[in-house]
Amino acid sequence: QQLRRGLPKISMRNYVAIAPRGTEAHRCDNGAFAWRQTDAGIEEAEARVFDCLSIAMGRFNVHNERVFLAGVGCGGTMAVRLAWSHPERFAGAASFGGPLPTRNRPLRKLNSLRHLPCFLATGRKSGEYPEAEVCRDLRLLHSAGCTVALRQYPCGDDLTTAMLADLNRWLMELVTA
């Protein structure tokens, strides 16, 4: 449902999108699913994402160097985690309000990550990813030499049309460069 609501706000063309279901039912939002940041959850997320990618790439003409991962909240954290785990398989990662992954050595492929663009969108009043944590993560990524675009919006933990429009611009700049 998130994909059906969000993708038209990004663009009505240029994209093939997949939305693998999270690994567990969300405890606060009836009908929603979340991504567990545990060893088993990460392994399951990886399998689901790669299975969905295989199906999409079998059905559509998708250039394998133009595959980006994106997610909202814990889905954004998982998108960044998986892109960082497999930087050779992805063109970049985007997270909307999802804190950067911290456990399980997410920066273990640092030399490869320096060339993997990352888009972080956060709300100024976010409870999930507070401004102080965003600033700390930004300093870490910059000191590591990573390519990161950070956008902060006047909201809380919402996904806004402005965020999606900025994602579209960021993606198009990378693809057409």
Side-chain angles (χ1 to χ4, degrees), residues 12 63 146 177:
M12 292 299 287
H63 194 291
C146 295

Side-chain angles (χ1 to χ4, degrees), residues 6 32 55 60 64 67 72 83 103 142:
I55 292 167
F60 301 101
N64 63 352
V67 176
V72 179
R103 296 185 342 196
H142 277 287

Side-chain angles (χ1 to χ4, degrees), residues 61-81:
N61 184 19
V62 178
H63 194 291
N64 63 352
E65 292 178 6
R66 291 188 176 172
V67 176
F68 292 82
L69 292 180
V72 179
C74 61
T77 301
M78 189 61 78
V80 170
R81 177 185 295 285

Side-chain angles (χ1 to χ4, degrees), residues 100-118:
L100 291 183
T102 55
R103 296 185 342 196
N104 301 74
R105 298 178 41 230
L107 296 173
R108 68 186 172 277
K109 295 184 176 181
L110 183 59
N111 287 335
S112 299
L113 299 183
R114 291 185 175 124
H115 306 289
L116 186 76
C118 189

Side-chain angles (χ1 to χ4, degrees), residues 4 17 39 52-54 57 72-73 78 84 89 102 105-106 130 142 145 154 162:
R4 285 191 179 132
D39 290 340
C52 286
L53 277 174
S54 177
M57 293 176 94
V72 179
M78 189 61 78
W84 284 358
R89 301 258 335 243
T102 55
R105 298 178 41 230
H142 277 287

Side-chain angles (χ1 to χ4, degrees), residues 1-19 70 159 164-165 167-168 171:
Q1 296 301 328
Q2 282 182 328
L3 184 63
R4 285 191 179 132
R5 286 190 308 264
L7 193 60
K9 295 175 184 171
I10 297 171
S11 175
M12 292 299 287
R13 58 175 198 240
N14 299 327
Y15 300 105
V16 172
I18 60 168
L159 179 63
L164 297 173
L167 173 68
N168 184 49
L171 287 167

